[in-house]
Amino acid sequence: METERQRRHESTERDRRTVLPGARWFRSRFVRVGAVLAAVVALLSLFSTYVVQPFAIPSSSMANTLRAGDRVLVNKLAYRFGNLPQRGDVVVFDGTGSFEEERASNEGRVWTWLRKAGSAVGLVRPAETDYVKRVIGVGGDRVVCCDKRGRVEVNGEPVREEYLHPQDKPSSVPFDVTVPEGRLWVMGDHRSESSDSRDLLGKPGGGTVPEDRVRGRVDWLVWPPRRVEAQPSTDQALAHRDSLGAVHG
């Protein structure tokens, strides 16, 4: 009887010695892989916060320049070191306080972290308060629509907007706005599908966006592959630049 118990005990000990090292190795490897993944996500988050951020285009408001589902890279360094947004720049900005009312977030901390991590690599849609639009007027500009030929004017000069969606006219909404210093007048390239500065006339800020809410400039289209390209420079985007003289900022 004792011999049988002893055999079972020895067999159990052998099984433990066989299984436990493998389990420990698996756990150790799992921890190492998890640590590496966490480090990669942290580095990508830092990179996207301060250098370049992937951004998923959420709507057709910038078509045909940018289409819903496109992935772009936002240059976070474009407006550092004293540089300011210029007319013609395509920018991503936080619309809180201008396009969106200030409100407390209902997201939990874990979901917020996951969303930010996903948006850092361009895998999930941006926050609902993030917008992508084109800068039409900067601080001090008078932006008017429309002249006798139906064109937007900036400081009395017509804008030749070659980037407009082919089915659109410059605006079906008339406006005459002087942009406050430190703010921007922005519009989508697909004017009939874009909710932009025109829709907020009469609201606090008059539809303009604070410069310090701009996250960066859209410099590269990276997805889908057939449309990969650098975005046109401000000189190319606004053909009226020479007639207006030096661009603000």
Side-chain angles (χ1 to χ4, degrees), residues 40-221:
V40 169
V41 170
L43 287 173
L44 286 173
S45 296
L46 285 172
F47 190 77
S48 70
T49 299
Y50 297 106
V51 185
V52 173
Q53 178 185 356
F55 185 85
I57 302 302
S59 73
S60 61
S61 71
M62 282 296 294
N64 281 336
T65 307
L66 301 171
R67 301 171 186 172
D70 285 353
R71 263 58 175 180
V72 299
L73 295 181
V74 178
N75 183 355
K76 292 294 197 71
L77 299 177
Y79 305 128
R80 296 186 186 274
F81 315 113
N83 296 321
L84 296 174
Q86 300 181 10
R87 304 185 197 102
D89 288 355
V90 177
V91 298
V92 172
F93 62 91
D94 177 7
T96 303
S98 55
F99 278 43
E100 298 279 348
E101 293 183 1
E102 303 252 12
R103 58 178 181 270
S105 174
N106 295 322
E107 290 183 350
R109 290 184 179 181
V110 174
W111 172 245
T112 298
W113 185 86
L114 289 173
R115 180 179 55 75
K116 288 182 177 180
S119 64
V121 293
L123 294 178
V124 301
R125 285 179 175 270
E128 293 183 359
T129 58
D130 284 352
Y131 291 82
V132 56
K133 304 292 178 187
R134 189 181 297 276
V135 177
I136 303 299
V138 299
D141 283 345
R142 184 185 178 191
V143 187
V144 179
C145 188
C146 294
D147 68 5
K148 293 181 180 180
R149 295 176 57 183
R151 298 172 298 183
V152 171
E153 289 185 344
V154 177
N155 299 331
E157 296 290 341
V159 182
R160 196 162 71 245
E161 298 184 285
E162 297 178 352
Y163 44 75
L164 279 183
H165 191 280
Q167 297 177 359
D168 282 349
K169 56 185 180 180
S171 181
S172 59
V173 178
F175 55 84
D176 185 342
V177 175
T178 298
V179 183
E181 293 294 339
R183 301 184 74 93
L184 307 169
W185 179 269
V186 297
M187 297 166 72
D189 291 354
H190 196 351
R191 299 286 158 82
S192 62
E193 295 292 326
S194 177
S195 176
D196 49 42
S197 290
R198 297 169 296 163
D199 297 286
L200 299 170
L201 291 167
K203 299 287 182 68
T208 59
V209 177
E211 289 175 348
D212 59 10
R213 289 287 190 175
V214 175
R215 298 194 185 280
R217 185 180 64 209
V218 175
D219 277 355
W220 303 278
L221 172 62

